[in-house]
Amino acid sequence: MTVLPKEKTNISVDTLKKITNTDLADLCYNTEQAIKAGGGFGWITVPPRDVLKKHWNSMLFVNTNTLIVGRLNGDIAGSMQLSFYPPNNEAQKRISTIKSHFVAPWARGYGLAKAMIDYAIVKSKENNKINIQLDIRETQTAAIQLFESKGFIKWGENPTYAFVNGNPIKGYYYYRNI
């Protein structure tokens, strides 16, 4: 029996400040795949491609958002929105929020999600934040396990956080002091 070495995999994480056509195609395709796999950060059915393009292009226009992307061998394979409160919100100015976190199904298992979380923590610290928060559907069990393994603490539940096919889905709220 011949055992072939595993393909060399290069993982990188960065902040997307401009979306190229290739990056936009990667983001749209991987969003579609994540939605089909049940982890489309709020979408239940795949929207038309023009809706996805508008969604991703609009991300860069909100100055309180940072679009973090995870790359596998140079191709975008996941993303995360890191949000900061606007300057007029003095009470929450030291808090950041993880939103819209996903890794394409074909890119799971390489540590990309962990790398994006670590990057979000670093970016939060660089922006003088001391707390990072997120919320997540109860059905996202792998993501829940990942966030808990990274030190996030569940502080609350909402029994009607979301509705999928007319059925209520519980949501969990997490925080981590950094």
Side-chain angles (χ1 to χ4, degrees):
M1 179 168 124
T2 304
V3 178
L4 299 174
K6 188 174 181 181
E7 173 189 345
K8 178 155 174 54
T9 305
N10 181 16
I11 293 173
S12 63
V13 178
D14 58 56
T15 301
L16 207 58
K17 299 197 184 291
K18 177 184 163 200
I19 299 178
T20 66
N21 288 335
T22 301
D23 288 344
L24 184 58
D26 285 348
L27 285 165
C28 290
Y29 174 77
N30 291 322
T31 301
E32 292 165 348
Q33 298 308 305
I35 293 167
K36 289 175 185 174
F41 48 87
W43 272 304
I44 298 167
T45 57
V46 176
R49 183 59 74 100
D50 64 315
V51 171
L52 289 174
K53 286 180 179 180
K54 286 178 188 174
H55 168 77
W56 288 113
N57 280 318
S58 70
M59 284 290 195
L60 301 182
F61 294 114
V62 181
N63 63 1
T64 56
N65 291 342
T66 301
L67 181 55
I68 297 170
V69 294
R71 296 180 187 270
L72 195 59
N73 295 334
D75 297 324
I76 292 178
S79 77
M80 170 187 292
Q81 178 185 338
L82 184 65
S83 294
F84 305 120
Y85 287 93
N88 66 304
N89 188 338
E90 294 180 57
Q92 294 174 304
K93 70 181 182 182
R94 303 289 306 274
I95 298 169
S96 60
T97 305
I98 292 175
K99 299 178 180 179
S100 305
H101 180 229
F102 81 95
V103 173
W106 61 267
R108 294 177 184 163
Y110 291 96
L112 197 56
K114 289 178 186 177
M116 285 193 293
I117 293 168
D118 291 342
Y119 188 86
I121 291 168
V122 168
K123 286 295 171 190
S124 294
K125 287 179 181 179
E126 287 175 0
N127 283 279
N128 203 28
K129 308 305 178 201
I130 60 172
N131 183 276
I132 191 165
Q133 301 176 1
L134 64 98
D135 54 79
I136 191 166
R137 283 185 288 186
E138 70 175 333
T139 56
Q140 305 298 315
T141 54
I144 289 167
Q145 290 173 352
L146 172 61
F147 282 112
E148 288 178 350
S149 76
K150 297 303 260 174
F152 284 81
I153 299 165
K154 183 167 82 171
W155 65 266
E157 297 181 6
N158 178 347
T160 55
Y161 172 80
F163 290 86
V164 177
N165 300 322
N167 298 314
I169 303 293
K170 189 184 299 182
Y172 301 141
Y173 297 89
Y174 284 86
Y175 76 94
R176 177 180 165 179
N177 293 323
I178 53 176

